[in-house]
Amino acid sequence: MESISSLYVKYQDQTVLTKSKEFAKYTIPSLMVDPTQRHTSAEVLDYDYQSIGALYVNNLTAKLVMALFPSGRSSFQISLTEELKALLEAEYGDDALLIKASTAELERLATEQTFKNAALSKLFRVVKLLIVTGQCLVYRDSTLQTYYVWNLNNYVTRRDMSGRVTRGILKQVIPAQELPQSILDDLQKQQYGVKADTIVTQYTDIRYELTPSGRRAVVQNYINDKPVGAEASYPEHLCPYVFPAWDVPSGEHYARGYVEEYAGDFARLSLLSTDVSLYEGEILHLLNLVDEAGGSAIDDVTDKPTGSYVPGRAESITSFEKGDYNKLNTAYNGLESVSQRLAMAFMYTGSMRQA
């Protein structure tokens, strides 16, 4: 039987990881920061020469989050099944108004949870990751009433042909003091000398099994490839570990994001922005050419204060600038064309220069 750490390595897709980091570079590089490296040093990010991608992704994220989780009103409606209706009738009788009021109160209370403990900011990150990389892993902490969000640097998945997750493994590199007490007690029983500041690698295995009552999620934690803590089991829809995805092609284990659909334009935007930035620096590079045979000497005209008298002739000194404005203007027009196409795709309606 393979260890949980070897399964994690086996299920990790380096192509998907590389692709996700490239799309993050085009848009928001910090989305693909590797949290497993946080105990060594701050990760050096590879930034692009443009921030248009970040502007468009943030714009689309805001629109989607406000549509999915509107402030001040419920983002969903409870539909009464026969079983739920029977429970409410046992509580309130046949009073339809009381039943409707009770479901409305449940909707209100559930919506309030979305805005507690900065949870909405975590949902913004979820949507950004879906747009850029196509997937993420979310943990709903019912005790602290907040969310934890991880990118592809922290987890792997297996999916069936319909796109449903059959298995997911979360990897965390954390100090032992952040582990739940039940896991710490289990480690001590296994005679592992773990101190509070000891850095441990914890794997969380989430397996989905088919039972007579429906699909269930079985969750087990591992440290040093040994199970620690009690195994937990949840009905599929109540599992605190959620694997949202943007678009999962049939037969693939990992999803594809919205940015990938416009990868060509983002790549061109990145290339043009890089070239334009470097070319702008060349154009601003000024050289003074001195013809010493014409009566001027470089030492005579260098670093002289205004109003100084120096020997020479004005015709023997000329200024030289690199670059061609017409070329730069053509590149700007190309950038504008790409930006306008992406603006339509990402629902950006801000002011745009008419080229």
Side-chain angles (χ1 to χ4, degrees):
M1 183 177 178
E2 290 186 82
S3 65
I4 194 70
S5 59
S6 61
L7 277 176
Y8 183 89
V9 174
K10 178 181 177 180
Y11 293 159
Q12 196 168 49
D13 192 325
Q14 292 299 327
T15 301
V16 174
L17 260 177
T18 302
K19 187 173 59 174
S20 297
K21 290 178 180 177
E22 187 69 15
F23 296 151
K25 178 188 172 184
Y26 293 155
T27 52
I28 306 174
S30 60
L31 288 176
M32 283 302 292
V33 165
D34 188 354
T36 62
Q37 306 299 320
R38 70 186 177 108
H39 300 289
T40 54
S41 61
E43 185 173 348
V44 179
L45 298 177
D46 187 11
Y47 289 96
D48 210 350
Y49 275 81
Q50 51 82 29
S51 57
I52 297 174
L55 173 66
Y56 291 165
V57 168
N58 285 327
N59 175 76
L60 182 58
T61 298
K63 291 182 183 294
L64 291 177
V65 171
M66 290 301 103
L68 293 170
F69 310 103
S71 177
R73 59 188 177 88
S74 174
S75 57
F76 65 95
Q77 186 174 10
I78 296 176
S79 297
L80 295 180
T81 62
E82 291 300 323
E83 183 180 3
L84 184 56
K85 188 176 180 181
L87 289 172
L88 289 171
E89 287 178 349
E91 178 73 20
Y92 301 107
D94 295 331
D95 193 330
L97 289 177
L98 272 177
I99 291 175
K100 186 176 180 180
S102 66
T103 56
E105 179 65 9
L106 286 174
E107 293 168 4
R108 185 188 65 80
L109 292 173
T111 301
E112 283 183 357
Q113 298 296 320
T114 307
F115 302 94
K116 284 186 176 180
N117 300 324
L120 190 60
S121 66
K122 302 296 180 65
L123 294 176
F124 265 89
R125 183 171 179 82
V126 169
V127 176
K128 288 179 185 179
L129 280 166
L130 292 178
I131 292 171
V132 177
T133 69
Q135 56 238 305
C136 64
L137 171 56
V138 182
Y139 174 69
R140 300 177 298 193
D141 191 324
S142 56
T143 304
L144 299 178
Q145 295 186 337
T146 189
Y147 299 96
Y148 296 91
V149 184
W150 292 281
N151 61 35
L152 282 169
N153 287 305
N154 272 94
Y155 76 97
V156 295
T157 58
R158 297 286 93 176
R159 296 179 185 270
D160 58 21
M161 289 300 294
S162 67
R164 292 191 306 181
V165 174
T166 58
R167 191 168 193 174
I169 303 174
L170 169 66
K171 177 183 178 181
Q172 298 180 83
V173 179
I174 55 178
Q177 60 190 0
E178 296 183 16
L179 293 170
Q181 189 60 46
S182 58
I183 293 180
L184 281 174
D185 293 341
D186 214 351
L187 283 175
Q188 297 302 330
K189 289 179 183 177
Q190 297 179 27
Q191 298 182 346
Y192 285 110
V194 177
K195 298 180 180 179
D197 58 349
T198 301
I199 303 300
V200 299
T201 301
Q202 176 185 342
Y203 292 93
T204 303
D205 186 20
I206 305 105
R207 307 188 314 276
Y208 290 87
E209 300 176 351
L210 190 60
T211 67
S213 59
R215 286 185 94 219
R216 294 188 69 86
V218 180
V219 180
Q220 177 65 62
N221 291 299
Y222 292 81
I223 292 178
N224 298 325
D225 283 328
K226 301 291 184 181
V228 290
E231 185 179 82
S233 178
Y234 308 89
E236 181 180 19
H237 67 287
L238 294 180
C239 179
Y241 293 93
V242 186
F243 298 85
W246 185 273
D247 178 31
V248 183
S250 297
E252 295 192 10
H253 297 295
Y254 293 94
R256 299 177 185 270
Y258 192 57
V259 168
E260 185 169 353
E261 297 178 18
Y262 299 92
D265 271 347
F266 274 109
R268 189 179 177 204
L269 182 66
S270 175
L271 180 62
L272 282 173
S273 298
T274 303
D275 290 343
V276 165
S277 296
L278 296 175
Y279 198 63
E280 283 176 332
E282 288 295 313
I283 286 180
L284 295 174
H285 192 192
L286 175 67
L287 296 175
N288 290 310
L289 305 181
V290 180
D291 181 11
E292 293 190 331
S296 298
I298 294 177
D299 291 340
D300 290 338
V301 296
T302 303
D303 297 329
K304 290 294 186 290
T306 302
S308 298
Y309 292 91
V310 296
R313 298 172 58 197
E315 295 82 3
S316 63
I317 302 176
T318 57
S319 296
F320 171 73
E321 295 183 74
K322 296 181 180 179
D324 184 338
Y325 173 77
N326 291 327
K327 287 183 179 180
L328 187 61
N329 197 43
T330 301
Y332 274 133
N333 289 336
L335 273 174
E336 191 66 25
S337 175
V338 175
S339 298
Q340 287 182 348
R341 287 200 301 270
L342 289 173
M344 289 189 290
F346 284 79
M347 303 174 65
Y348 181 74
T349 56
S351 59
M352 299 287 290
R353 181 179 71 87
Q354 293 299 320

